[in-house]
Amino acid sequence: MPWCRLTLGTMPVPSPRSFTTRATSWSREHVFVMDVLWAALWFVLLLATWPLSSASPVDSAAYLTLTVGCCAALSARRVRPLTALTALAALLAIQVLWMEHFTTLSVICVLVATYTSQTELSTWWRRAVLLVLLLGAAWAVLFIPDLVYTEDLGARVASLLSAWTTLLLFALLGTVRRHNREEVDRLREHGRLLRAKREQELRLAALGERTHIAREMHDVLAHSLNVIVAQADGGRYAARSSPESAVTALETIGRVGRESARELHRLLGVLREDGEREVSPMPGLDELPALVEEYRRTGLRVRLAQEDPPAHEVVPPPASVGLTVYRLVQQSLANALEHAGPVPVTVHLTRSPGLIVVTVTNPVGPEPRGPGERDGGHGLIGMRERIALHGGTLEAGTDGTTDLWRIRASVPWEET
């Protein structure tokens, strides 16, 4: 409610993230840098296992060029996966056809390409690249004579099965990695949607609170202005014949104006985003006699009648129900004073367990208005909305038997 102060407990301070967590988060945000570092590490490993120690300078320069090209392609394997894998395929084919045997360079590139194809490419490309890798391994093992140091077909088939098993193992690792990453992405998206939903709920709650405050401001203004107008009209006519009555009317105008200004200041203060909210009790059933007495001073002849259940059955209604009944009576008296003038008004409350029935009746005044006209005002619309929040009903119109304007509202609540 707008006058309730919310006291929040001390929020737990999150513990600092560990070095491993921070390093992992940084690596996920800088994949290209990480791949460049891995490519540099592989380049150092390839230099340490240099296969052409006795080769000519031309062959050494050619192999060094192939090594630099393959490491460059590996460094772009996640930012441009398809381009990097295509370049690796071409460079590896040149290296195998030229040297006619596997090297550390070819093994690293094939395994990394297999893993990358399953983590970075779409479904069709994953299958296509894996098929090309399996066929390329079969071609290299079975049809390049010097690649496997044996002419025995059985040994070559065993080597091929070993190569395929290794490729499929790395493909499986890439698949698991992709699934884990997709699951993390789904969880992050779910968390983002939950945060967005929570923010939307908070905005809707704030909007509902402001709508409630606007209704409160309407009730305050309608009540105060009707009292002020009635007192001003009465004081104007009484100024000549009874100056004391005019002074009393002016005092009432000043008091009601100051009270309304304070309440409006409190309501408008709730709308501010900063600062603490002022705590103030909400008007309820206990304030009805004071409200009736205030309207009596304006000339409205109000009679308040209440029927309460036995003492042992009395259960105080919720504060929101008491506020709704108070605003209903306040709006009804304001409407009677505005449309009918200082006429007799009867306010009847019947309380029973879990239900309050309010009936307000008054003559329609010298210039009667049809039910449709009076029912179209914003006051009755606001009353209907208030009562609808509690699941109650509101009837407003002219009683055909008494020719009195009657407002009858039922406001239920659930007892606990």
Side-chain angles (χ1 to χ4, degrees), residues 198-361:
R198 177 60 178 167
E199 292 174 358
Q200 183 179 13
E201 290 176 350
L202 292 176
R203 287 194 297 268
L204 291 176
L207 180 60
E209 186 71 9
R210 280 157 173 74
T211 303
H212 174 73
I213 294 171
R215 292 173 181 169
E216 295 293 321
M217 293 174 63
H218 168 269
D219 294 339
V220 170
L221 287 174
H223 159 70
S224 303
L225 291 178
N226 284 328
V227 172
I228 290 173
V229 169
Q231 290 294 313
D233 291 340
R236 183 181 60 185
Y237 290 114
R240 298 176 182 175
S241 59
S242 179
E244 295 82 3
S245 299
V247 172
T248 302
L250 291 175
E251 291 176 351
T252 302
I253 290 173
R255 178 176 53 80
V256 172
R258 285 189 295 271
E259 292 176 356
S260 301
R262 284 195 298 269
E263 190 165 358
L264 287 176
H265 177 73
R266 180 172 61 250
L267 291 173
L268 291 174
V270 176
L271 292 175
R272 297 186 60 184
E273 296 294 339
D274 55 348
E276 293 186 355
R277 295 185 174 184
E278 182 180 353
V279 180
S280 177
M282 294 179 296
L285 299 180
D286 294 337
E287 284 73 26
L288 285 179
L291 176 66
V292 168
E293 184 61 31
E294 184 176 328
Y295 271 94
R296 283 173 182 164
R297 287 194 293 265
T298 67
L300 203 64
R301 301 189 295 275
V302 186
R303 185 175 68 90
L304 176 62
Q306 301 188 57
E307 294 183 10
D308 295 330
H312 66 279
E313 297 181 4
V314 173
V315 177
S320 58
V321 173
L323 176 63
T324 297
V325 173
Y326 180 89
R327 294 304 187 195
L328 173 67
V329 175
Q330 185 183 56
Q331 185 66 48
S332 301
L333 295 178
N335 288 346
L337 185 61
E338 177 184 3
H339 296 289
V343 297
V345 181
T346 300
V347 179
H348 189 272
L349 269 72
T350 303
R351 295 180 58 180
S352 59
L355 178 66
I356 295 180
V357 178
V358 185
T359 305
V360 182
T361 57

Side-chain angles (χ1 to χ4, degrees), residues 180-196:
N180 291 339
R181 188 175 60 192
E182 291 174 351
E183 183 64 23
V184 170
D185 292 340
R186 280 194 294 269
L187 292 176
R188 288 177 177 174
E189 179 66 15
H190 182 64
R192 186 190 66 81
L193 292 177
L194 288 179
R195 288 192 298 271

Side-chain angles (χ1 to χ4, degrees), residues 50-60:
W50 187 258
L52 301 177
S53 56
S54 60
S56 64
V58 175
D59 290 340
S60 297

Side-chain angles (χ1 to χ4, degrees), residues 13-28:
V13 179
S15 59
R17 295 188 302 172
S18 63
F19 173 78
T20 305
T21 303
R22 287 186 280 112
T24 303
S25 177
W26 186 90
S27 65
R28 289 173 179 171

